[in-house]
Amino acid sequence: MKHVSILALLIALVSTGLVVVFQNAHLTPTVAATQALAVDDLFKLEFSIAAVILSICLVTLVYSIIVFRRRADDEGDGPPIHGHTFLEAIWTLIPLAIVVALAIYGALVLADITRAASSQPELEVKVSASQWSWRFEYPQYGIATSQLELPVNGPVVFKLHGTDVIHSFWVPEWRIKMDAVPGMETVLRITPTKVGKYKLLCAELCGLGHAFMEAPVAVVEEADFLNWVKAQPK
Amino acid sequence: MTILFSLGIVRGIIWGLASGGVAAGIVMAIRSGLGLPMWSPGPVTGVAALVGTLGFLTGLGAFNYWLEWALGRQKEEHHADQPRWRRYFGFDTNHKTIAIQYMVTSFLVIVVAGIYQLIDRLEVSAPGMQYISPGTYNSLMSLHGIMMLGAVLLGVSGMINYLVPLMIGARDMAFPHLNALSYWVTPPAVLLLLVSLPAGGFDTGWTAYPPLSARAPLGMQFMLLAFYLVGWSSILGSINFLTTIFKMRAPGMGLFRMPIFVWTALSTAILQLIFTQFIAMAFLMVLLERLLGLVFFAPDKGGNVILFQHLFWFYSHPAVYIFVLPGLGVISEVLPVFARKPLFGYAAVALSSLGIAGGGAVVWGHHMFAAGIEDVLRVPFMITTLLVAVPTGVKIFSWLATLWMGKIRLDTPLLFALTAIVVFLVGGITGVPNGIVPTDLHIHDTYWVVAHFHHTLFGGFVFPTMAAVYFWFPKLTGRFLNERVGKLHWAVMTVGFFITYLPMFWLGLNGMRRRIADYDPTLGLGPMNMVATIGGFLIALAMLLFFINLVVSLWRGAPAPANPWRSQTLEWQLSSPPPDENFSAPPRVVGPPYGYGTPGSIHAVVAPAGGTANKGA
Ligand SMILES: [Cu+2]
Ligand SMILES: [Cu+2]
């Protein structure tokens, strides 16, 4: 029992430490969309659970190889422990409960980040991805451009498609990505929350120029956006 | 010269080249007869490669046994009189020979594929294109992926081939000729993969998604054909493994007395038998689309792009468990011996392999959360994916409980097994954010995924294979590997691994996409990439130490007794190396495989060479 108490104490210490580190280290990029906020909350929970499980296993492992190391002259065997039904049930059922809870929470967040905003009309942007460039069409304004300009705090629905091979639409600050697939239309909803300049990256290998398939993204105040729209050729 | 020509492999190569050349000529003749331009690289090289493979196998003598049988002229085989080294270069049906052929081929492919990626790692260690072109980068990266996976399949087959018959007390595999055939279709596959690069390479990654793969350079076709052959090897091999495990066990070897490695081999074989056909079919469909213009996936002609991804991942996710389960079995073998304790929760660990295999069969959609699959499919795949964590957790917790209160000897095999546990654990934990849809939509197709699956493959295959080599090398050769070099190899490899792959988690979270030859300098990704590159070279250094240790120890390693680790499983009750026929009489299995700590507990009674296990029984 002495070993178990020391181990429990060490695990408690190490996992607390790791959780604190994971919560405070800035592991993800700037949050620049409402969707990114929801995703980051989920990340934080996943990292904390990971920290605890990692601590349990690592501390047990290191403790064992230090404390239960064979003495040089000892050729004997350890105790013939073949198993422990209660312990085995515990480490089957608790992880089961954790993953079920995570799956439910994950499903709720997914519903949240894919739902259309009901309060405001959505700005529609049709995105065509081609080897190796992006094109953005704003049907509500009748313009098409090669850079993405959006008003801050307005919900946007992207309708994506690929014109040749599969590409993928990803702005890391917005977190969620979606493939642009030839022959079909995929949908991605983003509400940008932070004025600034970002970069759209193609995240699906699409051939020679894949690494360089970027497009500039600007999130601006509503008035600036309308001015920008006016300045675009129809 | 006559000695050279009597080697099966030399005859095979001559037959292969000749028949491939003739086939190419015939295709060109038919084409010009049809009024088509005579030379078209796709059809000509494709037919030549397939016919050449058949020619190679024929020249090698792979079909002789069946031919003789079909002609009613069965003859006794006699190869015992040839010198030992020669059997590795011909169609030898002994499972131990085949195992070594598999392992050596696997290591050769690993070296080539590793060098490919070192070149790429060097290229991305800083932003800007410095050494190679984006096209070369893509080809090397794609080949690295597919060749490493091929090497893992070969390595897994090698380990299973060597260990399963010995561990269950059998004289050989159930179908020795089929076994040799399974191995010998792989050298042509390896050759095709090597040819792929000079034939233009391909830029699709190992995943070969159309429409990109339908329009990739000729190298693509070589890769598709090569993996098609490897698929044959997998399926034929799995039939053999399953039959052997179910039909060839020694008296008394009930299923729940089998060593855990045999359980993992069983789970692996089930997955291989059921799922390999799907990737073979998917790749064949791309081939037909390329060669004959049939339409399966081409969106502009009514094909479905997503269909390929379903077919592909229907195999390729279970394949992950084909790659790692035997390695996890190795960990379960090594721990009890070096902790001097029974494996904790034997039945649960044994069944967890089947649980992982069964669960892993229904999770393929998690690779497609961002691919545009129906929304209603994403949540069920998330749930099944997360559930696989449960049997995986059972394994890890049982290993830790095996170490607890043990009398631990930190020899090289255990050191590698311990690193494997930690690495696989990190691989498992970091898979969770990939399994949960919203977080996956951020990290999908980034370096996070690269780091995650390299953790699972190093933890489930590379480090366990190292543990296996240090553990069983004395059994294979009668000599020990050098323990000091082994510990150095372990230290460099463990440190190198974490330096390479831990930064990649951060890189992925912060905008480093997968499979990019270059990245934006403004993203601030340079320093971490440099760290990862340094780690990559440390891994290469460790591999160099490993190969030096292998070669030198083979030649002048300390002689090993039959059972240097005082293990109870069957293979250690034989001489080192074991006799050709393994057991002179079927051993009698009388107890559990890991009865450490119980005085007088033994797993099996093995007859001394020339005797019988139990006279009168
Ligand atoms: Cu791309
Ligand atoms: Cu998967």
Side-chain angles (χ1 to χ4, degrees):
Chain A
M1 276 327 271
K2 186 192 76 181
H3 286 307
V4 178
S5 324
I6 300 175
L7 186 72
L9 185 70
L10 285 173
I11 289 175
L13 281 175
V14 174
S15 54
T16 315
L18 262 185
V19 169
V20 171
V21 168
F22 280 178
Q23 291 300 318
N24 292 296
H26 294 285
L27 294 171
T28 47
T30 321
V31 171
T34 45
Q35 287 77 6
L37 205 59
V39 171
D40 269 22
D41 285 343
L42 189 53
F43 264 129
K44 286 216 165 111
L45 176 69
E46 290 165 6
F47 290 162
S48 297
I49 293 173
V52 174
I53 295 173
L54 197 64
S55 308
I56 292 173
C57 297
L58 282 186
V59 172
T60 311
L61 184 88
V62 173
Y63 188 88
S64 298
I65 54 180
I66 293 172
V67 176
F68 303 122
R69 193 140 171 215
R70 173 191 82 116
R71 263 171 286 121
D73 53 342
D74 190 353
E75 288 290 308
D77 287 351
I81 306 168
H82 286 272
H84 190 288
T85 313
F86 178 71
L87 206 55
E88 289 173 51
I90 289 284
W91 69 45
T92 310
L93 294 176
I94 291 182
L96 184 67
I98 293 176
V99 297
V100 169
L102 271 175
I104 294 172
Y105 182 35
L108 293 174
V109 174
L110 179 65
D112 192 34
I113 59 177
T114 49
R115 193 180 296 126
S118 50
S119 54
Q120 260 174 293
E122 289 176 319
L123 171 65
E124 186 180 323
V125 181
K126 280 197 189 309
V127 181
S128 326
S130 314
Q131 286 176 321
W132 292 279
S133 64
W134 298 94
R135 184 145 189 86
F136 311 98
E137 234 183 280
Y138 296 71
Q140 286 139 328
Y141 299 101
I143 58 171
T145 63
S146 59
Q147 61 165 325
L148 187 57
E149 187 109 356
L150 298 172
V152 71
N153 293 327
V156 186
V157 55
F158 294 103
K159 307 230 162 126
L160 315 163
H161 78 279
T163 63
D164 36 38
V165 300
I166 306 169
H167 304 270
S168 192
F169 180 103
W170 187 40
V171 177
E173 290 80 1
W174 297 343
R175 301 294 183 275
I176 55 182
K177 66 170 70 69
M178 179 55 75
D179 284 4
V181 186
M184 61 188 276
E185 187 183 78
T186 52
V187 174
L188 183 68
R189 291 196 151 84
I190 295 289
T191 307
T193 52
K194 215 170 159 186
V195 170
K197 297 220 176 288
Y198 306 94
K199 242 167 207 149
L200 166 61
L201 309 169
C202 175
E204 178 70 46
L205 179 58
C206 55
L208 213 56
H210 167 59
F212 311 99
M213 190 169 154
E214 302 178 346
V217 178
V219 175
V220 296
E221 296 296 343
E222 168 101 47
D224 295 336
F225 173 71
L226 292 174
N227 286 335
W228 175 81
V229 167
K230 276 193 209 118
Q232 298 306 310
K234 293 270 166 174
Chain B
M1 273 319 257
T2 39
I3 291 183
L4 201 59
F5 281 114
S6 69
L7 284 180
I9 191 168
V10 176
R11 274 180 282 130
I13 290 170
I14 294 169
W15 273 67
L17 291 175
S19 57
V22 170
I26 294 176
V27 174
M28 278 155 59
I30 294 176
R31 285 184 65 89
S32 61
L34 291 173
L36 295 164
M38 199 154 86
W39 172 250
S40 169
V44 175
T45 57
V47 174
L50 281 182
V51 174
T53 301
L54 278 175
F56 170 78
L57 292 170
T58 311
L60 181 76
F63 305 119
N64 287 3
Y65 173 81
W66 292 299
L67 276 176
E68 301 280 342
W69 179 80
L71 297 171
R73 289 195 310 230
Q74 238 170 328
K75 62 172 185 198
E76 275 298 301
E77 281 169 72
H78 47 87
H79 42 65
D81 49 337
Q82 15 176 300
R84 224 182 164 72
W85 64 270
R86 294 184 45 121
R87 52 172 75 176
Y88 297 105
F89 297 92
F91 194 79
D92 191 279
T93 56
N94 189 299
H95 74 100
K96 296 187 289 299
T97 311
I98 296 170
I100 290 168
Q101 289 170 327
Y102 267 122
M103 292 307 288
V104 171
T105 315
S106 171
F107 286 145
L108 290 177
V109 177
I110 285 176
V111 170
V112 177
I115 291 172
Y116 283 178
Q117 197 55 30
L118 282 179
I119 298 171
D120 271 9
R121 221 24 269 164
L122 214 54
E123 174 56 54
V124 288
S125 53
M129 296 303 300
Q130 30 262 328
Y131 309 111
I132 51 177
S133 70
T136 310
Y137 181 93
N138 285 349
S139 290
L140 291 177
M141 170 273 294
S142 306
L143 281 164
H144 166 78
I146 197 76
M147 290 177 83
M148 280 296 185
L149 296 184
V152 173
L153 283 175
L154 291 170
V156 162
S157 291
M159 284 197 277
I160 294 178
N161 248 302
Y162 200 90
L163 294 173
V164 164
L166 289 174
M167 283 179 162
I168 63 172
R171 286 191 168 183
D172 205 320
M173 283 287 188
F175 309 116
H177 291 88
L178 194 65
N179 197 21
L181 181 65
S182 316
Y183 166 71
W184 280 105
V185 297
T186 62
V190 172
L191 183 70
L192 290 179
L193 286 172
L194 292 174
V195 170
S196 171
L197 191 62
F202 56 101
D203 54 2
T204 66
W206 79 283
T207 48
Y209 280 10
L212 193 58
S213 56
R215 50 172 83 184
L218 183 62
M220 182 90 249
Q221 181 180 309
F222 284 98
M223 175 283 218
L224 295 171
L225 281 172
F227 216 72
Y228 191 71
L229 293 177
V230 172
W232 270 99
S233 166
S234 263
I235 291 174
L236 297 179
S238 65
I239 294 170
N240 225 332
F241 300 150
L242 286 175
T243 316
T244 306
I245 293 169
F246 281 119
K247 289 289 174 198
M248 310 272 288
R249 298 198 306 278
M253 178 72 83
L255 285 177
F256 284 91
R257 276 183 182 167
M258 298 194 307
I260 293 295
F261 182 82
V262 183
W263 277 97
T264 58
L266 172 66
S267 316
T268 300
I270 294 173
L271 290 174
Q272 281 183 315
L273 183 61
I274 297 177
F275 292 103
T276 308
Q277 51 194 315
F278 290 95
I279 196 172
M281 179 168 69
F283 278 9
L284 191 63
M285 286 158 91
V286 175
L287 262 177
L288 293 176
E289 199 163 295
R290 290 175 62 101
L291 284 176
L292 304 178
L294 302 189
V295 174
F296 300 105
F297 311 119
D300 48 333
K301 302 185 190 106
N304 184 335
V305 173
I306 306 274
L307 173 64
F308 175 87
Q309 297 177 29
H310 278 295
L311 291 172
F312 178 84
W313 289 114
F314 197 61
Y315 163 79
S316 295
H317 189 85
V320 175
Y321 300 111
I322 297 173
F323 303 151
V324 305
L325 278 170
L328 304 185
V330 168
I331 298 175
S332 297
E333 294 301 324
V334 168
L335 286 187
V337 176
F338 291 89
R340 308 309 304 167
K341 265 185 71 201
L343 183 70
F344 193 94
Y346 169 90
V349 175
L351 294 176
S352 71
S353 300
L354 288 176
I356 292 174
V362 288
V363 303
W364 76 92
H366 65 210
H367 296 269
M368 301 161 65
F369 286 153
I373 57 171
E374 291 78 358
D375 266 344
V376 292
L377 281 178
R378 297 205 277 194
V379 172
F381 276 123
M382 167 165 66
I383 295 169
T384 53
T385 300
L386 291 174
L387 286 177
V388 179
V390 176
T392 314
V394 166
K395 275 193 193 292
I396 289 177
F397 295 131
S398 302
W399 290 333
L400 294 175
T402 304
L403 291 172
W404 189 254
M405 307 279 283
K407 294 195 174 179
I408 298 171
R409 277 186 67 139
L410 284 180
D411 291 326
T412 317
L414 184 67
L415 289 175
F416 275 110
L418 295 176
T419 302
I421 295 176
V422 175
V423 171
F424 191 72
L425 171 71
V426 175
I429 291 175
T430 54
V432 172
N434 277 126
I436 298 177
V437 183
T439 40
D440 180 64
L441 294 179
H442 180 57
I443 52 190
H444 175 70
D445 269 332
T446 69
Y447 264 50
W448 176 285
V449 177
V450 177
H452 156 68
F453 74 73
H454 278 89
H455 271 79
T456 58
L457 282 171
F458 269 82
F461 176 77
V462 179
F463 284 112
T465 302
M466 296 302 163
V469 172
Y470 280 90
F471 186 53
W472 279 293
F473 189 84
K475 178 52 61 189
L476 265 74
T477 63
R479 291 181 185 276
F480 284 104
L481 282 166
N482 185 298
E483 183 73 10
R484 277 166 118 188
V485 179
K487 287 202 165 110
L488 182 66
H489 165 205
W490 167 77
V492 176
M493 193 139 171
T494 301
V495 172
F497 175 83
F498 286 113
I499 293 183
T500 311
Y501 292 105
L502 288 181
M504 290 192 190
F505 288 118
W506 182 88
L507 282 169
L509 287 171
N510 286 281
M512 181 84 183
R513 299 164 285 153
R514 273 178 92 167
R515 299 165 161 178
I516 46 174
D518 195 11
Y519 45 94
D520 208 318
T522 59
L523 292 172
L525 303 172
M528 282 295 195
N529 267 307
M530 182 55 88
V531 173
T533 303
I534 293 168
F537 278 88
L538 279 178
I539 296 176
L541 174 67
M543 289 301 285
L544 192 65
L545 286 170
F546 172 59
F547 290 127
I548 292 173
N549 199 358
L550 273 185
V551 172
V552 175
S553 302
L554 196 59
W555 171 40
R556 54 197 302 180
N563 191 0
W565 316 113
R566 295 185 297 128
S567 167
Q568 296 199 346
T569 46
L570 264 168
E571 76 276 23
W572 295 106
Q573 316 314 319
L574 297 168
S575 62
S576 299
D580 267 355
E581 302 269 283
N582 297 349
F583 302 93
S584 55
R588 208 160 42 83
V589 179
V590 293
Y594 317 109
Y596 305 105
T598 309
S601 169
I602 50 168
H603 177 45
V605 185
V606 177
T612 48
N614 185 14
K615 289 203 175 78

